[in-house]
Amino acid sequence: MITKPKGCYDVIDKEALKLNKINRYINYYCDFYNYDFIRTPLFESRELFHRTVGESTDIVTKETYDFKDRNDRELTLRPEGTAGVVRSFIENKMYGSNLPRKLYYNGTMYRYERPGNGRNREFTQFGVEILGSNDVAVDVEVISFAYRLFEELGFQDLNVKINNLGSKEDREHYKKALKEYLQPHLNNLCDDCKVRFETNPLRILDCKVDQDSSVLKNVPNILEYQSEESKERFKKVLEYLRFLDVDYEVDAKLVRGLDYYDYTVFEIISSEEVLGNASTIAAGGRYNDLVEKLGGPSIPCMGFACGLERIMLAMDKIENIEKRPLDCYILYVNEEEKMKAITLAQDLRCSGISVDYDVTGRSLKSQFKEADRNHAQLLILLNSEDLQHGWITVKDNLTKEEIKIEENEIIDYIVSNG
Ligand code: ATP
Ligand code: MG
């Protein structure tokens, strides 16, 4: 038997119901907040992710699925959504008019990680990007949008961790101080961090291995190495978040695992126990230099991405999701009745009634069982004799009451009683 690849999974049954529900909320809320949907390719040139996510990040060094196509092009399955969106923004010259552009995407991403609770090799991310404004109102809208969406999905006890990475100059200033502090402790850090010390010292703060070491606990505070302007900007973001009742906590060690962030970065944490150490359900921040880095004009942006699998995992605790009951199930025995079932089903569906009927030659008894399994509210019992007289029998599947309706009034009857 051929089985699915490691770290992948099929979305079926309850998981499918949950995913559909989340997607309905996402589409509804994005529309509500005036975001436009964007779909970009599942794979892009490898260089795109090296230039955006960053050469020295875990994603690029260990996690991407790289391959060559039949024409030797170097391609990579997308490990995240922002790079493709920004590439598309530039390639389609969206910066030419109507800024800011508010976009949202929703699709599968690929990372070669060790699979575990809330961690897969193929997973789904939904995210939004606002391209074309450096206003703090954008930072606040993106954060509060994510927060409210999860609240609507039933999450309680959400916490926003937020930090300010400052401008490029601020970060250079901080990096110098951080390296001076870490230098004497280098031997106590993990091998990855020894490399990060040279390539990207900020990333050491994000290390999962060294997280609890005393060396990391006492690192200099990034917020103290910033210009007055950066500090003032961050103060404003926090002030607005308080106005909007977003529960946040400043975490000066939050840096995020991708290279392109500056100024505001944040994570949304859920305290649902099922999530274990996969408690970060969404994360994002500002990336004011990325568009220019990819060959576009200087356009400040902000966004976040959230992992839908983690939301699905936590949803088990939040609500017992059930399949929507069918409005109607049509039962029949002979060919003439079956013809009627097929045309009646189409007419009912066109009138907004959910309906189904047997297509596997079940006995009448099994058709009743199938109707129950689908929680059908009304049963349409087709019978040749009735049909010859222009009648159709409808049975309320709860009260078991039966009524004969004139055939040409059946749609109106079901629509008003369904
Ligand atoms: P983590 O620290 O958990 O590895 P990350 O920093 O790699 O997360 P991002 O790249 O910022 O995460 O992705 C944003 C969100 O996407 C995460 O908060 C999480 O919900 C989800 N996510 C990331 N990687 C995976 C994965 N391998 N499987 C499932 N969801 C994931
Ligand atoms: Mg990761």
Side-chain angles (χ1 to χ4, degrees), residues 176-195:
K176 204 164 149 253
L178 183 64
K179 282 183 89 164
E180 269 167 27
Y181 164 81
L182 289 172
Q183 181 79 56
H185 305 289
L186 263 188
N187 283 337
N188 301 328
L189 295 179
C190 75
D191 288 345
D192 280 345
C193 280
K194 287 186 185 109
V195 177

Side-chain angles (χ1 to χ4, degrees), residues 66-279:
D66 303 319
F67 63 100
K68 279 188 182 174
D69 72 3
R70 287 166 200 267
N71 210 354
D72 269 352
R73 293 183 188 89
E74 302 215 323
L75 300 166
T76 294
L77 291 185
R78 61 183 183 197
E80 57 95 53
T82 302
V85 170
V86 172
R87 197 253 328 121
S88 170
F89 178 79
I90 298 168
E91 199 168 337
N92 292 297
K93 297 196 171 51
M94 289 186 225
Y95 50 78
S97 58
N98 301 330
L99 292 181
R101 204 53 213 266
K102 295 172 73 173
L103 300 170
Y104 78 101
Y105 61 87
N106 186 355
T108 48
M109 308 291 158
Y110 300 84
R111 295 185 195 176
Y112 192 81
E113 295 200 69
R114 186 187 301 185
N117 195 36
R119 198 169 289 286
N120 309 89
R121 289 186 176 171
E122 181 184 69
F123 61 102
T124 319
Q125 270 186 352
F126 146 70
V128 307
E129 316 287 357
I130 300 185
L131 306 106
S133 169
N134 192 33
D135 198 304
V136 290
V138 168
D139 303 40
V140 175
E141 174 178 316
V142 166
I143 297 170
S144 62
F145 169 75
Y147 191 82
R148 294 289 166 236
L149 178 68
F150 298 134
E151 270 192 343
E152 285 297 325
L153 280 165
F155 281 84
Q156 290 167 347
D157 303 324
L158 290 169
N159 185 240
V160 175
K161 276 193 183 174
I162 187 167
N163 193 18
N164 183 24
L165 298 181
S167 66
K168 214 186 225 159
E169 294 74 45
D170 293 337
R171 282 199 302 288
E172 286 311 318
H173 187 190
Y174 177 65
K175 264 184 213 167
K176 204 164 149 253
L178 183 64
K179 282 183 89 164
E180 269 167 27
Y181 164 81
L182 289 172
Q183 181 79 56
H185 305 289
L186 263 188
N187 283 337
N188 301 328
L189 295 179
C190 75
D191 288 345
D192 280 345
C193 280
K194 287 186 185 109
V195 177
R196 288 174 187 133
F197 183 82
E198 297 302 336
T199 55
N200 196 341
L202 236 66
R203 179 108 315 106
I204 295 176
L205 303 185
D206 195 39
C207 178
K208 306 261 185 325
V209 181
D210 291 328
Q211 203 45 248
D212 298 323
S213 74
S214 59
V215 182
L216 279 206
K217 282 204 169 116
N218 299 312
V219 291
N221 185 335
I222 194 167
L223 297 169
E224 288 165 13
Y225 291 80
Q226 292 167 355
S227 67
E228 281 314 307
E229 205 185 331
S230 290
K231 284 183 185 165
E232 211 35 55
R233 188 178 194 288
F234 191 47
K235 228 169 99 186
K236 256 205 174 124
V237 171
L238 299 183
E239 190 182 353
Y240 283 133
L241 286 178
R242 283 196 297 276
F243 289 156
L244 295 179
D245 286 328
V246 172
D247 195 12
Y248 69 79
E249 184 189 318
V250 175
D251 177 353
K253 279 195 237 157
L254 182 72
V255 289
R256 305 292 314 125
L258 302 97
D259 265 358
Y260 49 61
Y261 288 121
D262 51 15
Y263 295 99
T264 310
V265 287
F266 73 102
E267 287 188 356
I268 298 189
I269 318 279
S270 158
S271 55
E272 292 296 337
E273 253 172 58
V274 277
L275 291 172
N277 58 8
S279 59

Side-chain angles (χ1 to χ4, degrees), residues 204-400:
I204 295 176
L205 303 185
D206 195 39
C207 178
K208 306 261 185 325
V209 181
D210 291 328
Q211 203 45 248
D212 298 323
S213 74
S214 59
V215 182
L216 279 206
K217 282 204 169 116
N218 299 312
V219 291
N221 185 335
I222 194 167
L223 297 169
E224 288 165 13
Y225 291 80
Q226 292 167 355
S227 67
E228 281 314 307
E229 205 185 331
S230 290
K231 284 183 185 165
E232 211 35 55
R233 188 178 194 288
F234 191 47
K235 228 169 99 186
K236 256 205 174 124
V237 171
L238 299 183
E239 190 182 353
Y240 283 133
L241 286 178
R242 283 196 297 276
F243 289 156
L244 295 179
D245 286 328
V246 172
D247 195 12
Y248 69 79
E249 184 189 318
V250 175
D251 177 353
K253 279 195 237 157
L254 182 72
V255 289
R256 305 292 314 125
L258 302 97
D259 265 358
Y260 49 61
Y261 288 121
D262 51 15
Y263 295 99
T264 310
V265 287
F266 73 102
E267 287 188 356
I268 298 189
I269 318 279
S270 158
S271 55
E272 292 296 337
E273 253 172 58
V274 277
L275 291 172
N277 58 8
S279 59
T280 301
I281 52 175
R286 256 204 181 274
Y287 51 96
N288 286 353
D289 287 336
L290 192 59
V291 177
E292 197 171 4
K293 206 169 162 186
L294 282 182
S298 172
I299 301 265
C301 310
M302 165 98 188
F304 80 86
C306 96
L308 299 193
E309 284 74 13
R310 295 187 187 179
I311 299 177
M312 286 155 77
L313 207 60
M315 267 173 102
D316 283 335
K317 287 278 163 198
I318 291 169
E319 65 174 320
N320 189 18
I321 226 168
E322 298 283 354
K323 196 174 164 190
R324 186 167 95 92
L326 265 189
D327 295 325
C328 242
Y329 197 84
I330 308 177
L331 298 88
Y332 66 90
V333 178
N334 61 32
E335 269 308 305
E336 182 195 350
E337 294 159 13
K338 183 177 181 182
M339 262 324 289
K340 185 68 198 169
I342 293 170
T343 52
L344 188 55
Q346 159 148 309
D347 291 345
L348 285 168
R349 287 167 178 159
C350 289
S351 306
I353 298 291
S354 66
V355 51
D356 217 345
Y357 56 92
D358 176 55
V359 287
T360 60
R362 282 188 173 86
S363 69
L364 198 57
K365 193 173 159 201
S366 303
Q367 291 181 42
F368 274 106
K369 277 197 191 147
E370 197 53 20
D372 287 344
R373 201 180 63 75
N374 283 287
H375 307 289
Q377 291 171 339
L378 292 176
L379 307 181
I380 298 181
L381 307 168
L382 295 178
N383 165 316
S384 302
E385 214 172 293
D386 274 357
L387 286 175
Q388 271 156 30
H389 293 99
W391 294 101
I392 287 180
T393 303
V394 179
K395 180 173 178 176
D396 186 310
N397 205 18
L398 196 70
T399 63
K400 307 295 176 199

